[in-house]
């Protein structure tokens, strides 16, 4: 066999190995989220931490998104060590969750969780950056790789919910820690990539975005609507458990929402309405969803309401990304995404703290506050809609 005929075969094998290992790592990365997001607060309650402290503790990840995360991403990119940063943060995250599991005092849990989140929250953007570099090198498609993360979230939520029926809630933290350990080990298998030439994004004029009323409407509307999910993320599993629902049922309710989100993303290329209108529809859906949830509906209605997650979260993401692509100049898009993430993090952390205080006093009534936030977010976008070019949603601008 000639050398020329062997090269495509070797390249194809390298491509498949890269894709398989990255897909496996995405699965562990979002599998961790699948067991953490629905059940971490259940563990906090099980070890005796009150709702006010739960709100404070769960406010930590959004804070790290606009403080520590940009510094770690910048350092990894500057040193051309995306894979190394993924491995280091993976093992540091696993160690952090193991330490968290040994704590019981609220202040110590908060401290351990805060330090862990400093290395955990950068893992998704680090992995996405590594993935896109590999996609370019091997000529792959990003979607099929990332899909394994969404699927693993569903498996993680259902699996942990099933275990909740046999494992004491005080042991849930060890399930979360075990998945992070698995992820750290899988991270070692990621293939090294050729170092890219370091580039720096144009900085001139980027601050003008913050003086653009249209851009401010985009990031504020997104922050309000997405942060209106805070009560759901923090207290839904606790409330459902108190209502007598099994762990498997709780995991199933979370899964319904994620499946609806995946379906919406898959259908988004067919949307023809302007992106601003999509965001307004998403906000209206959130108002309806949280208003119904506040009434503590029975399980059949609750299951139907969970389908709205595709609209309240997914449609917001699709609409906002469409507005970012068409409204923000190409040379400022990276800085624009940074401002979007920072604004969302600030709103989410503040809302998490408020949710803890409100839930402690009013229980499910906290969802009325979430509905009000979504309504304000929708109003902001509706008033600003004339500032955006009238364009249909397209696949390229989807989330």
């Amino acid at each position: 066999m000639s050398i020329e005929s062997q090269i495509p075969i070797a390249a194809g094998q390298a491509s498949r190995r890269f894709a398989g290992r990255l897909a496996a790592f995405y699965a562990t990365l979002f599998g961790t989220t699948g067991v953490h997001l629905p059940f971490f607060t259940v563990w906090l309650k099980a070890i005796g931490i009150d709702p006010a402290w739960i709100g404070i503790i769960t406010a930590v990840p959004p804070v790290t998104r606009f403080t520590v995360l940009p510094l770690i991403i910048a350092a990894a990119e500057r040193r051309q060590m995306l894979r190394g940063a993924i491995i280091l943060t993976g093992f540091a995250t696993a160690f952090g969750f193991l330490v968290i599991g040994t704590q019981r005092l609220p202040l110590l849990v908060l401290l351990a969780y805060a330090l862990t989140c400093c290395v955990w929250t950068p893992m998704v953007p680090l992995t996405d950056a590594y993935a896109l570099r590999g996609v370019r090198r091997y000529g792959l498609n990003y979607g099929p790789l990332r899909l394994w993360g969404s699927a693993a979230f569903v498996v993680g939520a259902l699996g942990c919910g099933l275990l909740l029926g046999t494992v004491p809630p005080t042991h849930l933290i060890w399930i979360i820690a075990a998945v992070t350990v698995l992820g750290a080990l899988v991270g070692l298998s990621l293939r090294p990539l050729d170092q890219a030439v370091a580039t720096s994004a144009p900085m001139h004029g980027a601050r003008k975005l913050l003086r653009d009323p249209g851009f401010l409407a985009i990031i504020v509307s997104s922050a309000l609507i997405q942060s209106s999910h805070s009560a759901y993320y923090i207290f839904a599993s606790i409330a459902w458990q108190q209502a007598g629902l099994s762990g498997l049922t709780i995991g199933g309710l979370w899964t319904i929402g994620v499946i609806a989100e995946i379906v919406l993303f898959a259908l988004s290329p067919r949307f023809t309405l302007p992106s601003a209108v999509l965001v307004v529809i998403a906000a209206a859906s959130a108002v309806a969803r949280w208003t119904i949830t506040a009434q503590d509906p029975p399980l059949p209605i609750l299951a139907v309401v969970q389908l709205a997650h595709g609209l309240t979260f997914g449609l917001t993401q699709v609409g906002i990304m469409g507005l970012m692509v068409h409204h923000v100049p190409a040379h400022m898009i990276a800085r624009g995404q940074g401002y979007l993430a920072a604004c969302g993090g600030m709103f989410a952390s503040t809302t998490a703290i408020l949710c803890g205080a409100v839930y402690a006093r009013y229980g499910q009534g906290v969802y009325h506050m979430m509905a009000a936030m979504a309504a304000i977010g929708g109003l902001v976008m509706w008033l600003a809609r004339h500032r955006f070019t009238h364009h249909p949603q397209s696949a390229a601008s989807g989330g």
Side-chain angles (χ1 to χ4, degrees), residues 366-384:
V366 70
Y367 285 106
H368 290 303
M369 184 174 76
M370 301 297 98
M373 288 181 61
I376 296 172
L379 180 61
V380 169
M381 183 55 62
W382 177 256
L383 295 176

Side-chain angles (χ1 to χ4, degrees), residues 345-362:
M346 287 186 285
F347 272 68
S349 58
T350 303
T351 304
I353 296 173
L354 290 175
C355 282
V358 175
Y359 184 84
R361 184 167 184 177
Y362 298 105

Side-chain angles (χ1 to χ4, degrees), residues 16-386:
R16 287 191 293 273
R17 284 196 296 268
F18 173 84
R21 294 174 186 183
L22 179 59
F25 186 72
Y26 264 130
T28 61
L29 185 61
F30 287 95
T32 299
T33 306
V35 297
H36 172 274
L37 189 59
F39 297 108
F40 181 65
T41 54
V42 175
W43 174 76
L44 291 174
K45 180 179 179 296
I47 64 174
I49 295 180
D50 62 58
W53 269 105
I54 291 177
I56 295 172
I57 292 170
T58 53
V60 169
V63 171
T64 62
R65 283 202 294 271
F66 65 86
T67 53
V68 181
L69 185 152
L71 300 177
I72 293 180
I73 300 296
E77 186 67 33
R78 188 166 55 249
R79 291 171 172 79
Q80 294 296 305
M81 54 172 293
L82 287 178
R83 176 179 176 271
I86 291 171
I87 293 173
L88 289 174
T89 54
F91 276 96
T93 298
F95 177 76
F97 274 106
L98 290 170
V99 172
I100 292 170
T102 65
Q103 307 304 312
R104 291 297 181 269
L105 296 178
L107 184 59
L108 294 180
V109 172
L110 173 63
L111 179 60
Y113 189 58
L115 293 174
T116 301
C117 287
C118 286
V119 292
W120 182 33
T121 55
M123 289 186 68
V124 170
L126 282 171
T127 306
D128 282 339
Y130 169 85
L132 292 177
R133 190 167 292 178
V135 163
R136 175 173 294 179
R137 175 179 175 180
Y138 293 111
L140 300 170
N141 291 314
Y142 173 78
L145 300 173
R146 175 59 177 80
L147 180 62
W148 290 99
S150 299
F153 181 97
V154 173
V155 173
L158 284 174
C160 194
L162 182 61
L163 290 174
L164 187 58
T166 57
V167 174
T170 53
H171 291 172
L172 287 173
I173 190 66
W174 302 121
I175 299 176
I176 299 172
V179 180
T180 62
V181 170
L182 177 61
L185 295 174
V186 172
L188 292 172
S189 71
L190 294 175
R191 294 178 60 82
L193 293 173
D194 293 338
Q195 294 193 356
V197 177
T199 59
S200 58
M203 299 295 294
H204 179 68
R207 292 185 182 276
K208 291 182 179 179
L209 286 175
L210 296 179
R211 296 193 292 270
D212 176 4
F215 178 73
L216 292 177
I218 292 172
I219 63 175
V220 170
S221 179
S222 173
L224 283 166
I225 301 171
Q226 299 293 34
S227 294
S228 77
H229 293 74
S230 296
Y232 166 63
Y233 292 149
I234 300 170
F235 294 110
S237 293
I238 292 175
W240 295 339
Q241 187 184 43
Q242 290 176 337
L245 300 183
S246 67
L248 183 59
T249 300
I250 293 173
L253 288 171
W254 281 87
T255 300
I256 290 173
V258 176
I259 291 175
E261 172 190 328
I262 294 172
V263 170
L264 184 132
F265 283 144
L267 296 176
S268 62
R270 302 183 181 184
F271 298 164
T272 58
L273 292 174
S275 295
V277 175
L278 296 181
V279 175
V280 173
I281 293 173
S285 301
V287 172
R289 180 186 183 186
W290 305 136
T291 300
I292 295 173
T293 304
Q295 310 307 313
D296 198 12
L299 181 58
I301 296 178
L302 184 60
V304 174
V305 170
Q306 282 297 94
L307 290 172
H309 190 72
L311 295 174
T312 63
F313 176 83
L315 192 61
T316 300
Q317 184 75 359
V318 168
I320 292 296
M321 289 301 104
L323 291 171
M324 292 287 288
V325 168
H326 290 89
H327 187 74
V328 180
H331 68 282
M332 297 184 186
I333 194 68
R335 179 55 59 94
Q337 290 284 355
Y339 289 145
L340 177 68
C343 183
M346 287 186 285
F347 272 68
S349 58
T350 303
T351 304
I353 296 173
L354 290 175
C355 282
V358 175
Y359 184 84
R361 184 167 184 177
Y362 298 105
Q364 293 290 87
V366 70
Y367 285 106
H368 290 303
M369 184 174 76
M370 301 297 98
M373 288 181 61
I376 296 172
L379 180 61
V380 169
M381 183 55 62
W382 177 256
L383 295 176
R385 70 192 186 282
H386 299 300

